[in-house]
Amino acid sequence: MLNFSNKNVLWIFSHPKPQTIPSYLVSGIYPANYLGIQKVIFLENHDPKELLQKFKPKCLIISKVFNNNINHLINEAKVRDIKVISIFDDWVFPNDMRKKINLPIAKNSDIIIAKTAAAADHITENTKIKCSIIPDPIRFKTYKIFKEVKNPINVCWFGMDTNHDSILNELKNLDNLKIKIKLTIISNYINSLKTKIDSIKIENLIIEYFEWNNSSNKNIVQSEVVILPYPNDKTRLVKSSNRIVDSLNLGRFTILSNVSQFSEFENYTYFGKISDGLSWLLHNKDEAIQKTKLGQEYVLENFSLKAICNKWLDIIKY
């Protein structure tokens, strides 16, 4: 068992600008800062021996890998009997390119981390390597629960470009509803997404666009509802629950596709068809508020930065 000291641990990022990668922020930078763990950028041209000699760590935490030099770092760490914990974001099979990078790292790590039970099961099924689970923590401050449903109803979708297809495929269903909807869309590559949406020829929705940033919570809470359509595919099977957690923490009524990997949130959201959820909300406002209240309590108890960092401490010390 490792006697934890923040000086014993290095948190490794293999991208030159880790603050620009949302998963790095939520599952790496935030917990590292909270725990006082030193953060290091390790790139393709860096020397593993030099890094380990300089810091003399007893444990490395490897966030999602973006270069093959991480393998050399891990191999050198093993020679020095340094504990290695590796995090795997969105590792979906089959994906030969990602498998070529990830599999040697997974095999050489002492512990590997996935963000959900479904993602962990998917990795174990395809590699025979057991995963521990540490979810993403809440990333925004907590807001009060929404109080009313306005007309038009204010609806928000947010997500990165890897999820653009999910909102594109839902727009016609929303447009065909006999409900006045003002839809706020928050994402990266927002101009590209807008161009695609313009080609769909939406007739009834009022759509407003915002580029994603670290203060996007201020845009999200202008809506009383967040919609999160999830296609039932392998890509979404291994996704983090962070958008669901964020939506409930922000006090927004959350409409979530009925997908098995997120069944833990079924009692705190409308868990089903997105368009049906909006219709249900209009006739069940009080129940929607209660669901959101209970959901916010649930995520504050289980996904706060403190709660997630306690999980990290258990893993590091193990």
Side-chain angles (χ1 to χ4, degrees):
M1 180 175 289
L2 179 68
N3 182 21
F4 175 77
S5 164
N6 51 24
K7 293 181 180 179
N8 289 339
V9 185
L10 282 184
W11 208 303
I12 307 294
F13 301 94
S14 54
H15 189 280
K17 295 182 178 179
Q19 71 277 7
T20 66
I21 309 296
S23 64
Y24 267 17
L25 272 175
V26 180
S27 65
I29 294 173
Y30 292 168
N33 287 347
Y34 184 91
L35 293 170
I37 294 173
Q38 298 177 91
K39 304 181 296 295
V40 175
I41 295 173
F42 185 80
L43 303 179
E44 193 75 53
N45 61 333
H46 289 169
D47 185 333
K49 291 182 180 179
E50 184 179 316
L51 176 77
L52 297 177
Q53 185 61 34
K54 178 180 178 180
F55 290 98
K56 295 181 173 59
K58 294 183 180 179
C59 177
L60 298 180
I61 301 175
I62 312 289
S63 280
K64 183 177 180 177
V65 174
F66 286 93
N67 69 65
N68 286 319
N69 199 24
I70 290 291
N71 272 317
H72 299 137
L73 176 63
I74 292 175
N75 289 336
E76 186 62 31
K78 301 309 290 182
V79 169
R80 298 169 186 240
D81 199 28
I82 297 170
K83 182 176 182 177
V84 176
I85 303 169
S86 296
I87 306 169
F88 293 97
D89 296 340
D90 305 342
W91 189 3
V92 63
F93 296 82
N95 182 330
D96 290 340
M97 184 173 69
R98 179 46 62 179
K99 183 178 179 181
K100 185 177 180 181
I101 295 171
N102 283 358
L103 190 56
I105 293 168
K107 287 181 175 179
N108 287 329
S109 297
D110 296 287
I111 300 173
I112 69 173
I113 304 293
K115 296 184 176 181
T116 66
D121 289 345
H122 186 64
I123 292 172
T124 301
E125 180 183 338
N126 286 277
T127 67
K128 310 305 180 188
I129 301 171
K130 185 179 179 181
C131 288
S132 296
I133 301 165
I134 301 183
D136 283 338
I138 291 168
R139 56 181 155 180
F140 300 120
K141 72 175 186 178
T142 303
Y143 281 74
K144 292 181 179 179
I145 308 296
F146 79 100
K147 292 182 178 180
E148 59 180 340
V149 180
K150 298 179 181 178
N151 186 20
I153 184 171
N154 294 302
V155 177
C156 178
W157 177 88
F158 65 96
M160 295 296 101
D161 58 293
T162 52
N163 286 307
H164 281 177
D165 62 324
S166 67
I167 187 61
L168 287 167
N169 293 335
E170 194 62 42
L171 285 174
K172 271 298 183 182
N173 294 330
L174 298 176
D175 199 44
N176 290 333
L177 283 174
K178 295 180 180 179
I179 300 172
K180 291 182 179 180
I181 298 172
K182 179 182 176 184
L183 177 63
T184 296
I185 294 178
I186 309 169
S187 187
N188 59 340
Y189 302 110
I190 197 69
N191 290 330
S192 172
L193 179 57
K194 184 178 184 303
T195 299
K196 292 176 182 177
I197 291 174
D198 288 344
S199 70
I200 298 176
K201 297 180 181 178
I202 297 299
E203 295 179 1
N204 300 312
L205 295 176
I206 303 166
I207 305 179
E208 190 171 14
Y209 300 89
F210 293 94
E211 189 78 25
W212 176 266
N213 62 70
N214 292 335
S215 298
S216 285
N217 54 308
K218 296 175 183 177
N219 296 123
I220 296 169
V221 296
Q222 298 307 308
S223 298
E224 50 264 33
V225 182
V226 169
I227 57 170
L228 296 173
Y230 282 93
N232 195 10
D233 59 25
K234 286 186 177 180
T235 300
R236 258 53 67 128
L237 177 69
V238 298
K239 288 288 185 181
S240 162
S241 60
N242 60 351
R243 291 189 297 156
I244 307 167
V245 169
D246 286 338
S247 301
L248 292 170
N249 176 58
L250 292 172
R252 303 306 96 185
F253 180 61
T254 305
I255 301 174
L256 171 65
S257 297
N258 181 358
V259 286
S260 60
Q261 64 267 32
F262 297 133
S263 59
E264 71 173 295
F265 301 102
E266 183 173 359
N267 293 332
Y268 312 120
T269 64
Y270 184 91
F271 200 65
K273 190 176 178 181
I274 303 299
S275 53
D276 288 350
L278 286 168
S279 299
W280 180 90
L281 171 63
L282 294 179
H283 297 95
N284 298 275
K285 188 190 79 169
D286 290 343
E287 187 175 346
I289 289 173
Q290 182 63 13
K291 277 180 176 284
T292 306
K293 179 178 180 294
L294 293 174
Q296 188 177 76
E297 292 171 356
Y298 179 76
V299 299
L300 285 172
E301 180 179 353
N302 294 282
F303 296 89
S304 69
L305 187 55
K306 180 180 179 180
I308 298 306
C309 285
N310 283 337
K311 292 179 182 291
W312 271 114
L313 286 176
D314 290 340
I315 289 290
I316 293 167
K317 292 176 181 180
Y318 179 75

